[in-house]
Amino acid sequence: MYVTPSHQYPLSVTMTLPRRQALLAWVERNNAAIIEDDYDSEFRFGGRPLEPLQTLDAKGLVVYVGSFSKTMLPTLRLGFLMTPPSLRAALHKAKFVSDWHSSTLAQAALGNFIDEGEFARHVRRVGAIYRERHQLLADAISREFAEHLELIPSTTGLHLTALARRMSVDRIAEIARHAADRGVAVQILLSRFAVSATPTGRG
Ligand SMILES: Cc1ncc(COP(=O)(O)O)c(C=O)c1O
């Protein structure tokens, strides 16, 4: 079971503690495992701290996956896994057959950066900047665009989603083009992310 419990993309859902516990119980009953992709969890702007599934797991059923793409930069192409001992050898092999290895130089530099406390300082510093931007954007959408957009509340991560229920898809696309001309990237059409019919309606 692959999940992103801190912050689902694109609807921003955070998995509650009872649902986390229910998922762990389901996985145990069904002899399955969980890949917990915690890709966007370092930036949390409110609410209570979250217990990762990996911390709640007493049975060794969770592989925790982290990425440095959002905290550092995507071009580093570095992330990390925390695995139960039973899966370690298989995952080593899987990494080897998929791309042999990640850049040793970049890993060593990042390792030093972490050991010297610079990474933690960096995440605190950019976290404060992203918190301000998140708030600014959420306030602007709620205030200036209240007539057109319904903001989906979110306290984690680097994206915000809003629903434009009353606008046609063509009109939304036109507005996104205007936004792009002004350097604001907007992804339109939630339906692109749905396996079947869009659960939240249009746009
Ligand atoms: C669901 C999800 N997982 C992981 C990542 C990070 O991927 P990568 O570490 O390959 O850049 C992203 C990037 O946005 C993502 O959306």
Side-chain angles (χ1 to χ4, degrees):
M1 177 78 72
Y2 167 88
V3 287
T4 55
S6 294
H7 196 212
Q8 193 264 358
Y9 186 87
L11 292 179
S12 304
V13 178
T14 296
M15 195 185 282
T16 59
L17 184 59
R19 292 187 70 210
R20 284 166 196 249
Q21 285 160 337
L23 181 62
L24 282 166
W26 183 92
V27 161
E28 193 180 341
R29 272 199 314 280
N30 290 277
N31 195 27
I34 295 175
I35 297 173
E36 179 175 24
D37 182 358
D38 216 16
Y39 73 105
D40 208 10
S41 61
E42 286 87 356
F43 303 117
R44 190 158 162 76
F45 310 124
R48 281 186 296 154
L50 296 172
E51 284 280 30
L53 286 162
Q54 203 254 352
T55 313
L56 299 170
D57 170 34
K59 299 270 165 42
L61 303 173
V62 178
V63 178
Y64 182 93
V65 183
S67 169
F68 292 103
S69 284
K70 298 216 188 269
T71 47
M72 296 293 290
L73 68 167
T75 48
L76 260 187
R77 305 314 310 138
L78 289 179
F80 60 93
L81 294 176
M82 287 159 69
T83 78
S86 62
L87 291 177
R88 210 157 284 161
L91 285 165
H92 272 147
K93 285 202 180 99
K95 173 68 179 164
F96 185 77
V97 295
S98 61
D99 67 358
W100 277 36
H101 53 75
S102 302
S103 155
T104 40
L105 192 60
Q107 286 184 79
L110 183 60
N112 282 343
F113 195 66
I114 293 170
D115 288 344
E116 287 161 10
E118 293 297 335
F119 177 72
R121 261 194 292 282
H122 165 76
V123 169
R124 272 199 304 278
R125 192 175 61 80
V126 292
I129 296 169
Y130 295 155
R131 173 190 292 269
E132 199 179 312
R133 289 182 189 171
H134 180 101
Q135 198 56 49
L136 203 69
L137 198 55
D139 287 350
I141 291 171
S142 310
R143 236 187 2 247
E144 315 293 337
F145 297 88
E147 206 182 313
H148 305 291
L149 293 177
E150 181 189 322
L151 183 69
I152 298 181
S154 168
T155 53
T156 307
L158 298 185
H159 78 268
L160 280 171
T161 299
L163 304 175
R165 293 192 197 277
R166 288 193 295 270
M167 258 184 247
S168 71
V169 169
D170 288 345
R171 179 79 180 119
I172 294 171
E174 191 187 330
I175 291 170
R177 274 197 302 276
H178 284 306
D181 287 345
R182 286 160 180 75
V184 179
V186 181
Q187 274 203 312
I188 57 170
L189 293 185
L190 276 177
S191 54
R192 282 180 34 215
F193 298 94
V195 175
S196 52
T198 318
T200 49
R202 186 199 282 154

